[in-house]
């Protein structure tokens, strides 16, 4: 297990489509957290000003900031492209802008990579050498830890499992909340409420959904053969409803013995998005980990 994970206080920021969360992380603890709705106009400067205000509120000597965003990211240059559901954020030099405003060093990445890095650093993935984190929410994507390092790919596009062709579409349409809206035209939240109240048709839909998620997990297993796969995101929390369908389909995996050596869990790490963003700082400055 790792201890004293961050050797200095850092700021973690989770920029979502509707909410902004900013926290101070020290060691392996989230010491302070501020949460707010995004400004109504959602402009770059309005959000930057709100970030700066919240950073000042939680700061206690931090020199580093990590940010997770739901978008395509150039992590080296610090540019975010086409942030989901935030109009006007087509190409934002977020690293430069926030460094200029705060005087702190800034690191950023997409939310799936932050999730994987956060679980590996603070959650179920601690102590693992090879791990995959899968976000099952409004979309479907993953973050990859290989040989103890976050693997991003040349264009920070590694782990975009949701874009893999599947049936007559792509995995994301079957392994995220889109499955319910596309198949029956009803939001997943409504079907979830019906299922937990005993509606059999809704339960069957979750059973089918679990089978599709298992197909995606099998693809990950065939490709990376990790020690651990961790499911996160809003829809993953409905796992008890799709667990049976998931486990049934997973049994068809071609190497049964390998299944006994992989740990598949659902994330229970509180505030994982903020913790994962903070972990970017450790990842980039090569903070030493104590085994």
């Amino acid at each position: 297990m790792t201890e004293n994970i961050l050797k200095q206080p850092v700021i973690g920021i989770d920029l979502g489509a509707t909410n902004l969360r900013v926290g101070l992380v020290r060691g392996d603890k989230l010491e302070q957290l501020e949460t707010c709705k995004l400004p109504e106009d959602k402009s770059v400067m309005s959000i930057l000003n709100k970030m700066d205000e919240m950073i000042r509120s939680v700061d206690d000597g931090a020199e580093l900031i990590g940010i997770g965003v739901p978008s395509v990211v150039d992590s080296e240059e610090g540019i975010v492209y086409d942030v989901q559901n935030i109009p006007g954020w087509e190409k934002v030099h977020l690293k430069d802008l926030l460094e200029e405003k705060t005087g702190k060093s800034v690191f950023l990445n997409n939310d799936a990579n932050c999730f994987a890095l956060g679980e590996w650093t603070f959650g179920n993935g601690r102590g693992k050498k090879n791990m995959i984190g899968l976000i099952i929410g409004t979309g479907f994507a993953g973050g990859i830890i290989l040989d103890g390092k976050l693997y991003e790919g040349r264009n920070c596009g590694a782990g975009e499992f949701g874009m893999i062709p599947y049936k007559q579409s792509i995995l994301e349409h079957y392994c995220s909340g889109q499955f319910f809206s596309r198949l029956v035209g009803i939001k997943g939240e409504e079907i979830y409420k019906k299922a937990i109240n005993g509606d059999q048709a809704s339960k069957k839909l979750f059973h089918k959904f679990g089978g599709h998620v298992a197909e995606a997990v099998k693809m990950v297993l065939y490709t990376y053969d990790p020690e651990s796969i961790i499911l996160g995101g809003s829809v993953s929390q409905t796992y008890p409803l799709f667990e049976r369908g998931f486990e049934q389909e997973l049994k068809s995996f071609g190497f049964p013995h390998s299944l006994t050596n992989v740990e598949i869990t659902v994330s229970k790490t509180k505030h994982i998005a903020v913790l994962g963003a903070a972990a970017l700082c450790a990842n980039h400055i090569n903070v030493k980990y104590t085994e």
Side-chain angles (χ1 to χ4, degrees), residues 43-242:
S43 69
V44 173
M45 289 315 300
S46 291
I47 292 176
L48 275 173
N49 288 335
K50 178 55 69 173
M51 277 186 187
D52 185 45
E53 175 186 324
M54 296 170 75
I55 288 167
R56 292 174 187 275
S57 177
V58 304
D59 194 11
D60 184 23
E63 298 178 358
L64 308 171
I65 298 173
I67 308 177
V69 293
S71 69
V72 176
V73 171
D74 182 333
S75 60
E76 290 188 8
E77 296 297 325
I79 304 171
V80 299
Y81 297 91
D82 305 313
V83 180
Q84 292 181 21
N85 299 313
I86 305 184
W89 282 62
E90 285 86 15
K91 182 180 180 181
V92 179
H93 292 257
L94 186 56
K95 173 182 170 69
D96 290 344
L97 289 168
L98 196 57
E99 285 186 343
E100 183 179 348
K101 182 171 280 292
T102 65
K104 303 178 188 295
S105 296
V106 175
F107 306 97
L108 57 88
N109 216 304
N110 65 53
D111 52 356
N113 282 341
C114 286
F115 168 70
L117 192 59
E119 282 294 334
W120 179 67
T121 308
F122 300 102
N124 293 348
R126 289 174 70 170
K128 307 297 188 208
K129 190 175 182 181
N130 299 289
M131 188 212 90
I132 308 292
L134 295 175
I135 290 185
I136 307 174
T138 55
F140 181 75
I144 303 165
I145 303 294
L146 291 181
D147 291 327
K149 295 179 181 179
L150 176 66
Y151 177 73
E152 302 175 59
R154 173 63 182 85
N155 301 293
C156 201
E160 293 294 338
F161 303 114
M163 300 306 293
I164 294 174
Y166 178 66
K167 293 187 178 292
Q168 301 303 311
S169 188
I170 56 176
L171 276 175
E172 183 165 275
H173 294 164
Y174 290 87
C175 300
S176 71
Q178 296 179 42
F179 169 76
F180 303 100
S181 58
R182 286 175 175 273
L183 188 66
V184 294
I186 302 175
K187 289 185 176 181
E189 295 93 329
E190 295 180 38
I191 296 174
Y192 170 73
K193 289 177 182 177
K194 290 181 179 180
I196 61 175
N197 286 322
D199 181 72
Q200 292 302 312
S202 298
K203 287 184 176 181
K204 287 181 180 178
L205 279 174
F206 271 99
H207 187 91
K208 287 183 179 180
F209 176 73
H212 294 307
V213 174
E215 291 289 359
V217 166
K218 285 191 289 184
M219 292 181 193
V220 171
L221 289 170
Y222 285 128
T223 307
Y224 293 100
D225 189 25
E227 301 164 70
S228 173
I229 295 176
I230 303 173
L231 309 181
S234 57
V235 182
S236 74
Q237 300 307 302
T238 67
Y239 182 73
L241 288 173
F242 68 82

